[in-house]
Amino acid sequence: MMNETPPMITNNTGYQNPPDDIAALVNAAPTPGASLSPSGEWMLLLEKPNLPSIEEVAQPELRLAGIRINPRTNGSSRPVYYNGFKIKSLKDFTEKKVNGLPSIPKIENVSWSPQGDKIAFTNTVDTGLELWLIDLAKATAKKMTSAIINDAISGLPYRWFSDGRTILFKAIVDNRGEAPFANIVPSGPVIQENKTSVAPVRTYQDLLKNKHDEALFTYYTNAQLKTVDLETGEQTNFGTPGIISNLQTSPDARYVLITRIQTPFSYLVPYARFAMQVEIVNRKGVVIKKVASIPSSEDIPKGFGAVRKGPRSFGWRADLPATLVWVEAQDEGDPKVEVDIRDKMYAFSAPFTETAKPLIEFELRYGGVEWGNGTLGICYEWWWNNRQLITSRWQPDAPQEGKLLLSDRSWEDSYNDPGDFVTERNSYGRSILVEKDGNLYLTGTGASAEGNRPFVDTFELATKKTTRLWRSKAPHYERPVSIKWVSEKILLTIRESKDEPPNYYFRNLENEELTQITDFENPYKNLASVKKELVQYKRADGLDLNATLYTPPNYDPAKDGKLPALMWAYPREYKSADAAGQVKDSPYEFIRIGWYSPIFWVTQGYAVLDDFGMPIVGEGDEEPNETFIEQLVMDAEAAAKLIVDRGIADPKRLAVGGHSYGAFMTANLLAHSNIFAAGIARSGAYNRTLTPYGFQSEERTFWEAPETYFKMSPFMHADKIKAPLLLIHGDADNNSGTYPMQSERFYAALKGQGAPARLVMLPHESHSYRAKESVMHMLWEMHNWLERHLS
């Protein structure tokens, strides 16, 4: 409960710890992750460590071309590891003991072989990443390579060939020597020049700045492809070294698709928009076809429907041995250009000697394809301005037949979401649509006014009729994991309730019998008696809103009186008021808590209103942000009124907080309303003129809508903020737009206006906080701020 005497908050303290009840929740053992083998015979349980220490998070880091690299390991900086395996049989539920695992495992990049009889993963040691292999039949693990894996560029650093006998991986180039040395004496200035091209780019972080950055980027990302024979362990160089951003083996294991980053590098955009060359090589690593040379994409047109010119979205057809597909914009990638066809897909089949053939056209922007058996495919297309999503059926082997519309809806409309088509692995180990007796299968979250209720449906191809096989029922929240056994009327699900942690079950659809597979314990036992409630209410203009309310154990407003309350949210833009008011949560989900959560304070006697409705609606041609402030205040007033009118919260002891765009929201609420006694803003952006080419869902530039940028920037209204505001920010924030400078300058503005404010910069932390010391100190800061200003 709250202290009678608010604690003093001093400056320049070392790392501090929050109250014991909060610290215990941070220290709770994480629930393992799970992965099902392609055959459905095995379940891999991946054990997670707790938060790493600041010593680990503070390891050296290079920030280059939009990626962050640990130069000691040549892997990603601050990765999330697993620290152990358990392999459970889904036949008899016994656990298979695996011998030979790493003594101090730091496991990443886990994947099953196409046949599901082996598991590959990387293990990080002090000097780099090793490739390891688990053989289920032998119940052994062995190291396949030394610490030579190059994992600098995001994505899996290796690929299985579909025969399951060979792995292709990215290795550090042999004998590459020492890293480039930075000469403290510059050879000259860094110069960029633009003559006539228009290049409106958003505010990316960690871009290249000079020739030394270019040299470092090349040194750490340059990779030599190698193959390793999983039986003999023999390694063979594969092709020539290069900066390889994409690597895909063909379904028949005869070819490899390789995308190589090319020079010159850009200082305006991350590596994913650098110039690139796409090529097909054979099993000997010899280039047999250069598919495309794509220039640097600094000039992608403005707008969320904009894409780069030329071919993009390369991949292999999952249902054929070796057919490459890609799409090309027919509107120069510019959503403002009026055309009948926006995108066109092409197919290019082995032996790659003929010209690529058009396969299918899209009236809207291409959104993906799911392959079936050659006579069946599902394709998606979308359009940003009206949030339109079209799903169609087509015949990849007879594209002249055209597309058959399955659904045309707004992706904001959760209540009418038909779900996602279910896929399974084929003989190539690739995902294709599950089709049985003329039916496909759909699974979805089942959003409804009463909360999410996941489901499984059949979809009859001939009639487009759906039939419900199963739906989650109160008081549990249960969702399907696999329908592999659906013909036997069995589903694999994960099931939970407010008090029961998620566990895996087999569910018999005929008699509703459940067979429990896992028995994970509740890691948050001191939250067991907390009351969780999905609440629904209305905004002043009649818009439906909802939130999740948490109150302390055994709390009774009539007996215990009004509580201090922490209200936490994140604004979201909508083009439809109906969609904005839809419920997108479940009252029956297990109470989860992470470093980012406000739920900690329910243990301290606070009411917590989490994810309270904060929609910003702009219907038709109206831009949501034109009335951002007005709607923000209406949303907050409605949420505060709800918990005050119910006698739960003291109107004089309300605090508001949020992370990232939620921090931006918090600062604006303090500037433009008198609802709250205090605010907490973490890792936000407060001056929109520093993100002049758009932010969040705002497509217009500062020069197109200067009044909106000014009005929405709490920095411009610092003189109006009177309630105390706690600003927290990671000093290594890598999120686009939320530079650490945003908090530093905003604090300076608040201080200059005499506003009560506190700025906490967390060393070595990015947009999400990782180190235990940082998280504990953040919670200590937040707790003391609440105690100090809501007492």
Side-chain angles (χ1 to χ4, degrees), residues 32 60 242 260 271 418 504 511 588 618 775:
R260 297 176 183 268
Y271 81 91
Y504 290 86
N511 58 25
Y588 305 115
V775 170

Side-chain angles (χ1 to χ4, degrees), residues 19-29 498-499 521-531 550-554 590-593 599-605:
D20 290 345
D21 285 343
I22 291 178
L25 292 172
V26 176
N27 288 323
K498 288 187 289 186
D499 303 318
E521 293 186 357
N522 184 349
Y524 312 125
K525 293 181 180 177
N526 54 344
L527 294 180
S529 300
V530 167
K531 183 179 180 182
Y550 299 88
T551 50
N554 305 314
F590 180 65
I591 299 178
R592 291 171 174 83
I593 196 162
I599 303 172
F600 291 105
W601 281 275
V602 78
T603 69
Q604 305 302 303

Side-chain angles (χ1 to χ4, degrees), residues 425-437:
R425 296 274 195 109
N426 63 8
S427 59
Y428 297 125
R430 308 302 167 98
S431 292
I432 63 167
L433 294 162
V434 175
E435 182 183 3
K436 296 181 187 296
D437 301 323

Side-chain angles (χ1 to χ4, degrees), residues 367-609:
V369 165
E370 290 175 307
W371 305 100
N373 56 7
T375 62
L376 174 65
I378 301 293
C379 62
Y380 304 91
E381 48 195 307
W382 59 274
W383 199 241
W384 171 261
N385 289 349
N386 58 0
R387 310 308 194 260
Q388 186 179 9
L389 176 63
I390 293 177
T391 304
S392 303
R393 176 191 174 187
W394 65 301
Q395 298 182 55
D397 289 349
Q400 69 277 6
E401 299 294 328
K403 296 177 294 185
L404 175 65
L405 180 68
L406 298 183
S407 69
D408 184 352
R409 66 182 188 88
S410 167
W411 69 68
E412 293 181 340
D413 183 4
S414 299
Y415 289 178
N416 289 301
D417 183 352
D420 300 318
F421 287 104
V422 177
T423 61
E424 63 184 353
R425 296 274 195 109
N426 63 8
S427 59
Y428 297 125
R430 308 302 167 98
S431 292
I432 63 167
L433 294 162
V434 175
E435 182 183 3
K436 296 181 187 296
D437 301 323
N439 289 318
L440 300 182
Y441 293 87
L442 290 161
T443 64
T445 57
S448 70
E450 60 190 31
N452 292 344
R453 292 182 58 197
F455 64 86
V456 177
D457 286 350
T458 59
F459 178 84
E460 190 174 10
L461 286 165
T463 64
K464 297 194 289 186
K465 177 185 177 183
T466 59
T467 303
R468 184 130 299 168
L469 291 179
W470 170 84
R471 192 176 190 184
S472 178
K473 298 177 182 178
H476 289 88
Y477 178 74
E478 188 173 0
R479 58 193 187 277
V481 175
S482 175
I483 68 160
K484 181 174 284 290
W485 305 272
V486 72
S487 59
E488 303 167 33
K489 303 298 182 182
I490 299 292
L491 289 181
L492 177 65
T493 70
I494 185 166
R495 186 173 189 254
E496 61 193 88
S497 72
K498 288 187 289 186
D499 303 318
E500 302 169 11
N503 272 290
Y504 290 86
Y505 293 81
F506 276 129
R507 170 175 286 279
N508 188 307
L509 296 179
E510 290 187 330
N511 58 25
E512 296 296 315
E513 282 187 2
L514 287 170
T515 304
Q516 188 166 350
I517 299 169
T518 61
D519 189 19
F520 303 137
E521 293 186 357
N522 184 349
Y524 312 125
K525 293 181 180 177
N526 54 344
L527 294 180
S529 300
V530 167
K531 183 179 180 182
K532 175 185 177 182
E533 181 183 359
L534 179 65
V535 293
Q536 301 182 47
Y537 54 102
K538 288 185 180 292
R539 202 164 77 173
D541 61 358
L543 183 66
D544 291 321
L545 300 174
N546 57 85
T548 304
L549 175 63
Y550 299 88
T551 50
N554 305 314
Y555 170 69
D556 182 346
K559 294 189 299 183
D560 301 322
K562 296 180 178 180
L563 302 175
L566 174 59
M567 300 168 56
W568 201 265
Y570 188 95
R572 291 174 174 84
E573 297 88 344
Y574 292 89
K575 293 299 292 180
S576 161
D578 289 340
Q582 291 181 355
V583 177
K584 300 175 180 66
D585 202 350
S586 168
Y588 305 115
E589 286 187 79
F590 180 65
I591 299 178
R592 291 171 174 83
I593 196 162
W595 67 265
Y596 46 81
S597 176
I599 303 172
F600 291 105
W601 281 275
V602 78
T603 69
Q604 305 302 303
Y606 288 75
V608 175
L609 193 67

Side-chain angles (χ1 to χ4, degrees), residues 4-233:
E4 293 183 4
T5 303
M8 292 295 293
I9 302 181
T10 58
N11 294 321
N12 302 318
T13 60
Y15 287 110
Q16 302 293 318
N17 289 314
D20 290 345
D21 285 343
I22 291 178
L25 292 172
V26 176
N27 288 323
T31 300
S35 174
L36 196 66
S37 71
S39 64
E41 182 180 354
W42 301 100
M43 176 179 282
L44 174 64
L45 300 176
L46 297 157
E47 297 172 344
K48 305 173 185 177
N50 212 312
L51 293 171
S53 69
I54 189 64
E55 180 181 7
E56 183 174 334
V57 172
Q59 292 294 306
E61 178 180 70
L62 298 173
R63 305 170 189 177
L64 303 166
I67 56 178
R68 295 189 170 187
I69 303 167
N70 183 336
R72 293 181 179 174
T73 64
N74 215 104
S76 60
S77 173
R78 310 175 202 183
V80 177
Y81 299 118
Y82 297 107
N83 63 350
F85 284 126
K86 288 183 179 177
I87 302 173
K88 183 182 283 285
S89 167
L90 292 182
K91 291 182 176 179
D92 57 16
F93 308 141
T94 58
E95 287 188 5
K96 178 181 283 286
K97 179 176 175 56
V98 176
N99 297 311
L101 287 166
S103 57
I104 306 176
K106 289 185 176 181
I107 295 165
E108 298 176 82
N109 302 309
V110 181
S111 72
W112 292 92
S113 67
Q115 293 74 24
D117 59 339
K118 297 180 179 67
I119 301 167
F121 63 92
T122 61
N123 181 58
T124 300
V125 295
D126 290 342
T127 56
L129 283 79
E130 309 160 333
L131 180 65
W132 282 68
L133 185 76
I134 294 176
D135 187 315
L136 291 176
K138 299 176 182 177
T140 58
K142 66 177 179 178
K143 183 169 63 174
M144 303 304 299
T145 75
S146 58
I148 60 171
I149 300 298
N150 189 325
D151 195 21
I153 289 181
S154 60
L156 202 66
Y158 65 87
R159 289 291 187 274
W160 289 93
F161 281 104
S162 58
D163 57 18
R165 299 192 300 267
T166 311
I167 287 178
L168 177 68
F169 66 92
K170 292 194 284 185
I172 294 169
V173 175
D174 298 330
N175 305 312
R176 69 176 177 179
E178 296 295 323
F181 177 75
N183 191 339
I184 62 172
V185 179
S187 60
V190 176
I191 298 172
Q192 299 183 61
E193 180 180 7
N194 186 64
K195 293 183 179 180
T196 59
S197 64
V198 177
V201 296
R202 289 204 166 198
T203 49
Y204 295 111
Q205 303 273 44
D206 303 337
L207 300 179
L208 299 179
K209 301 178 182 66
N210 50 48
K211 290 294 183 182
H212 180 61
D213 279 358
E214 291 190 47
L216 286 172
F217 175 73
T218 301
Y219 177 85
Y220 285 103
T221 58
N222 201 34
Q224 171 65 61
L225 292 178
K226 294 176 182 281
T227 59
V228 57
D229 185 297
L230 302 183
E231 288 298 323
T232 66

